[in-house]
Amino acid sequence: NAGVTQTPKFQVLKTGQSMTLQCAQDMNHEYMSWYRQDPGMGLRLIHYSVGAGITDQGEVPNGYNVSRSTTEDFPLRLLSAAPSQTSVYFCASSRAGTSGKTYEQYFGPGTRLTVT
Amino acid sequence: TQLLEQSPQFLSIQEGENLTVYCNSSSVFSSLQWYRQEPGEGPVLLVTVVTGGEVKKLKRLTFQFGDARKDSSLHITAAQPGDTGLYLCAGANDYKLSFGAGTTVTVRA
């Protein structure tokens, strides 16, 4: 199993450009999430999905769109990049643990995005 | 404002010393998870604690969940350079997790 894969690993954008960060998982997990990680702020939830066709906003959704057409894929779209979106982006998948309440996250390797 | 407060933010110790990292919140969680992250990689799950007062051991790492399920601690005994990394706690309610800002641990040889 590859687990959670993300592409690209690095990306530089100019302000106003758009792009899509790709995320795929091969563990048949129901839940998928996108986080951004900034120094001193931990991981903040951008958007999440509880299954194909179902998405919702997290803590910091502005400037990002998601869709989930299949269980495996969960792309994150930046509509018009801004310097404030310079960050490291992590995709994660999870499913309910044996107790039904744990939802441990399996993270991808991250995409390092710089917006100039 | 972080839902989960971790302390300290940075910790630098000598190999063989012990250390404790704290994770505190005013919210109750159905479970609390600890992750370790190495530079350039995604976080990796270390442990999940579910029951108030629960203690779990993973080799030299001991994790405790507070009785009220609002706080947790991670204790490392006889730290080694391989323990160096960013330690993150995360509280779960249903399928949404809230992460602390993390504690950067450096163990000097």
Side-chain angles (χ1 to χ4, degrees):
Chain A
N1 283 355
V4 179
T5 57
Q6 290 185 238
T7 56
K9 198 160 177 63
F10 300 94
Q11 183 70 49
V12 179
L13 290 178
K14 294 188 188 306
T15 297
Q17 287 184 319
S18 62
M19 79 159 294
T20 299
L21 308 185
Q22 301 292 343
C23 174
Q25 54 98 3
D26 61 1
M27 297 174 282
N28 201 32
H29 285 170
E30 309 144 28
Y31 307 100
M32 295 187 75
S33 303
W34 276 102
Y35 297 89
R36 59 178 288 172
Q37 186 174 37
D38 301 292
M41 301 193 72
L43 289 154
R44 291 183 292 168
L45 182 64
I46 304 172
H47 285 284
Y48 64 96
S49 169
V50 301
I54 307 170
T55 64
D56 205 347
Q57 296 181 351
E59 181 186 352
V60 288
N62 292 342
Y64 308 95
N65 270 357
V66 292
S67 60
R68 185 134 177 239
S69 55
T70 67
T71 299
E72 294 79 18
D73 299 300
F74 190 43
L76 177 73
R77 279 180 286 278
L78 278 71
L79 309 172
S80 176
S84 61
Q85 293 178 305
T86 293
S87 188
V88 182
Y89 291 84
F90 288 99
C91 178
S93 71
S94 65
R95 64 180 174 200
T98 51
S99 66
K101 51 185 175 179
T102 51
Y103 302 95
E104 289 94 349
Q105 306 280 297
Y106 292 79
F107 285 90
T111 294
R112 283 136 191 87
L113 176 69
T114 301
V115 182
T116 61
Chain B
T1 303
Q2 300 281 155
L3 198 58
L4 285 156
E5 297 290 335
Q6 281 188 243
S7 62
Q9 188 176 357
F10 299 96
L11 199 52
S12 180
I13 60 171
Q14 203 69 34
E15 182 177 3
E17 292 181 337
N18 301 334
L19 68 96
T20 302
V21 177
Y22 298 94
C23 177
N24 296 302
S25 177
S26 57
S27 301
V28 176
F29 297 104
S30 57
S31 72
L32 200 135
Q33 301 164 20
W34 285 91
Y35 294 79
R36 181 166 71 203
Q37 184 179 18
E38 309 217 356
E41 299 181 8
V44 175
L45 179 72
L46 294 172
V47 79
T48 301
V49 284
V50 177
T51 306
E54 182 177 4
V55 176
K56 277 193 175 178
K57 293 194 174 185
L58 189 68
K59 296 183 182 177
R60 293 174 294 99
L61 279 61
T62 301
F63 304 84
Q64 186 160 7
F65 201 13
D67 291 340
R69 304 205 325 272
K70 294 182 180 181
D71 54 82
S72 181
S73 63
L74 156 62
H75 183 79
I76 301 179
T77 303
Q80 299 176 1
D83 296 324
T84 292
L86 176 67
Y87 289 82
L88 296 156
C89 66
N93 277 320
D94 292 328
Y95 42 80
K96 289 173 66 176
L97 266 65
S98 298
F99 281 83
T103 295
T104 300
V105 172
T106 303
V107 182
R108 304 184 305 274

